[in-house]
Amino acid sequence: MSISIIDVIETFIHAMYFIFPAYCANAAPVIFGGGRPVDAGRLFPDGKPILGSHKTVRGLLAGLIVGTLVGFAQQFVPFGQQSALLGFTLSLGALVGDLMDSFMKRRLGLTPGSPVPLADQLDFILGAFLFAAAIGQSPQISWILIILVVTPPIHLLTNFVAYLLGAKNKTR
Ligand code: CTP
Ligand code: MG
């Protein structure tokens, strides 16, 4: 059996289609975030912030709303099988994954925004995969591989663009 370039492109499009709500949920807080911190400014027993004041409730809500709307809209594309429910689930997973990364970074004494290569780019993807699996919507293995390989460069590029636009003050 031979794999044609058309198959590869098709698989790539399906993979990007699958994870798109998570990408949007991850980007939304950068644009709409701010205000009350998720951890309410509390410290962990180690004396360091639980998450940090930059992880905000508004950022979480914005991510959930945007990701859910994207999932809803996805059912209308020609090959679309995604839904508001899957959009919501992928977004919730992405946001929780991102918070887990921040929690671990604070435990290591890293200040908010300090780079941890791969963890920073894949935290939200792994969260999205796990939450999608929990509702029986695991992506195909080929999609997982594609997403894991292309997300770090896409993430770095979009962060750089956000930095140029002034929305973010760190290029990661
Ligand atoms: N943000 C937010 N609420 C969230 C997540 C993010 O308001 N729940 C906003 C904050 O302004 C934050 C920015 O999005 O500074 C970038 O988020 P992210 O890249 O996830 O933060 P990091 O700089 O990576 O922080 P950390 O070191 O905790 O990973
Ligand atoms: Mg992060």
Side-chain angles (χ1 to χ4, degrees), residues 8-97:
V8 174
I9 293 170
E10 201 176 283
T11 310
F12 179 81
I13 291 172
H14 274 279
M16 291 298 103
Y17 171 82
F18 175 82
I19 204 64
F20 194 57
Y23 280 1
C24 296
N26 191 247
V30 182
I31 301 163
F32 303 111
R36 199 162 74 84
V38 178
D39 66 8
R42 281 194 294 264
L43 302 180
F44 202 63
D46 61 8
K48 295 163 187 152
I50 298 175
L51 299 167
S53 62
H54 62 308
K55 296 285 146 160
T56 65
V57 176
R58 208 165 72 206
L60 284 188
L61 292 177
L64 279 179
I65 292 168
V66 169
T68 305
L69 288 176
V70 168
F72 176 76
Q74 278 185 317
Q75 65 191 305
F76 301 111
V77 308
F79 60 87
Q81 306 133 344
Q82 287 187 197
S83 59
L85 174 66
L86 184 53
F88 174 83
T89 307
L90 287 165
S91 303
L92 187 62
L95 293 159
V96 170

Side-chain angles (χ1 to χ4, degrees), residues 26 55 98 101-102 105 119-120 123 172:
N26 191 247
K55 296 285 146 160
D98 179 56
D101 184 38
S102 294
K105 285 169 77 172
D120 285 329
D123 51 8
R172 294 165 304 102

Side-chain angles (χ1 to χ4, degrees), residues 94-143:
L95 293 159
V96 170
D98 179 56
L99 291 184
M100 299 285 286
D101 184 38
S102 294
F103 177 79
M104 287 187 285
K105 285 169 77 172
R106 298 302 86 79
R107 303 289 67 72
L108 294 170
L110 298 170
T111 53
S114 50
V116 179
L118 291 184
D120 285 329
Q121 290 91 44
L122 296 177
D123 51 8
F124 69 102
I125 293 296
L126 297 178
F129 287 161
L130 285 176
F131 275 57
I135 61 159
Q137 300 271 356
S138 287
Q140 294 177 13
I141 297 290
S142 56
W143 302 358

